[in-house]
Amino acid sequence: ELKVEQNPLFLSMQEEKNYTIYCNYSTTSDRLYWYRQDPGKSLESLFVLLSNGAVKQEGRLMASLDTKARLSTLHITAAVHDLSATYFCAVDRGYLRSGANNLFFGTGTRLTVIP
Amino acid sequence: NAGVTQTPKFQVLKTGQSMTLQCAQDMNHEYMSWYRQDPGMGLRLIHYSVGAGITDQGEVPNGYNVSRSTTEDFPLRLLSAAPSQTSVYFCASSYLGLKDNEQFFGPGTRLTVL
């Protein structure tokens, strides 16, 4: 059974500080996604990581993937209040078999950025 | 494009009642899926479909039925609602077979079963 673990579960950080969210998964995967969810809202896609060593950046967020360690990280640089949200990683095993995007989600990291 | 739409936004049911959650997409996506999100947890896959007439079970299919008669629509049926099905339900869709594939999520349906 595929397990996806995120840590920390809760993260309270001051503005302008840096921090990293970790996502470990238990079996091989085709793709890894990062999503953002604001309270009471749907999920917004942030990054799709496809191969070992992949790194993607958008604004103050940077995601990386190490398939050998089965680890992805989401690094936050110089946090601002607008980044407060819950961040999920999700692992996709279905692509090679059927092309289907069957995602297995981590439990999420609730980030609060304090002014 | 409206993207992925879901109705209703909120629903309250009594134990044993049945209902259908609606999901539609106008992007001509082959793949559609249903997830549930419980407090403090990530999303879990209920059922999915890779095209009209083709459906399959996900992680937590018990108590739910789906059908896919058209590319656009993928309704989720609760046959006999139970309090354990209180959750937020998200529908999602994407193309199939693309390596760099983004999955689009609907706004969600918040269901309470009393």
Side-chain angles (χ1 to χ4, degrees), chain A residues 1 30-31 33 35 37 40-43 45 48 50 56 88 95 98-108, chain B residues 31 35 37 40-45 48 50 59 90 94-103 105-107 110:
Chain A
E1 179 187 340
D30 308 328
R31 290 177 286 213
Y33 298 78
Y35 288 91
Q37 186 180 37
K41 302 292 186 182
S42 187
L43 278 77
S45 177
V48 180
L50 300 176
K56 289 194 174 179
F88 291 96
Y95 173 72
S98 67
N101 277 24
N102 292 351
L103 300 181
F104 289 79
F105 282 80
T107 50
Chain B
Y31 177 86
Y35 292 85
Q37 183 178 30
M41 297 182 67
L43 279 67
R44 291 182 292 168
L45 182 66
Y48 68 97
V50 296
E59 285 181 87
F90 289 100
S94 71
Y95 290 111
L96 272 181
L98 299 180
K99 193 158 175 57
D100 190 356
N101 210 359
E102 181 178 1
Q103 190 157 171
F105 284 83
R110 188 174 295 270

Side-chain angles (χ1 to χ4, degrees), chain B residues 77-91:
Chain B
R77 295 184 189 85
L78 281 69
L79 307 173
S80 177
S84 61
Q85 293 178 305
T86 294
S87 189
V88 181
Y89 292 84
F90 289 100
C91 179

Side-chain angles (χ1 to χ4, degrees), chain A residues 49-69:
Chain A
L49 302 170
L50 300 176
S51 59
N52 188 43
V55 177
K56 289 194 174 179
Q57 182 164 6
E58 181 74 34
R60 300 173 189 270
L61 301 178
M62 183 174 70
S64 66
L65 179 63
D66 181 342
T67 58
K68 293 179 182 176

Side-chain angles (χ1 to χ4, degrees), chain B residues 12-89:
Chain B
V12 179
L13 292 178
K14 294 181 180 177
T15 297
Q17 287 184 314
S18 62
M19 79 158 296
T20 299
L21 308 185
Q22 301 292 345
C23 174
Q25 52 90 11
D26 60 358
M27 297 172 279
N28 206 28
H29 287 163
E30 301 97 332
Y31 177 86
M32 296 185 75
S33 56
W34 278 101
Y35 292 85
R36 61 177 287 173
Q37 183 178 30
D38 299 306
M41 297 182 67
L43 279 67
R44 291 182 292 168
L45 182 66
I46 304 171
H47 286 287
Y48 68 97
S49 168
V50 296
I54 306 169
T55 63
D56 207 345
Q57 296 181 349
E59 285 181 87
V60 288
N62 292 341
Y64 307 95
N65 274 0
V66 291
S67 60
R68 183 102 179 264
S69 56
T70 66
T71 300
E72 294 79 18
D73 300 299
F74 191 45
L76 178 72
R77 295 184 189 85
L78 281 69
L79 307 173
S80 177
S84 61
Q85 293 178 305
T86 294
S87 189
V88 181
Y89 292 84

